[in-house]
Amino acid sequence: MVGIAATILYAALVTPFIETARCHPIQPSLGAYAAATLYSYLAYRSLTFVSGPSHRTEAPRFPAILDALR
């Protein structure tokens, strides 16, 4: 469910900017991707895995785990 919600968040953030902005689509896409990744990390950490270690140890590992799952 977290992944679906992150995808919906990404689409909701990127679509209006790409449709109306006068900038290259990469800029809104990167911003929306960063927001969806932050949401995903916080939701997985607090809802799915309810982990205890600090953000300092877990945050750097999160992108590596996401890349391994793709």
Side-chain angles (χ1 to χ4, degrees), residues 26-51:
I26 291 176
Q27 294 165 332
S29 180
L30 289 175
Y33 181 77
T37 301
L38 178 63
Y39 165 78
S40 179
Y41 167 73
L42 293 173
Y44 274 124
R45 187 175 193 277
S46 63
L47 300 174
T48 304
F49 299 114
V50 191
S51 65

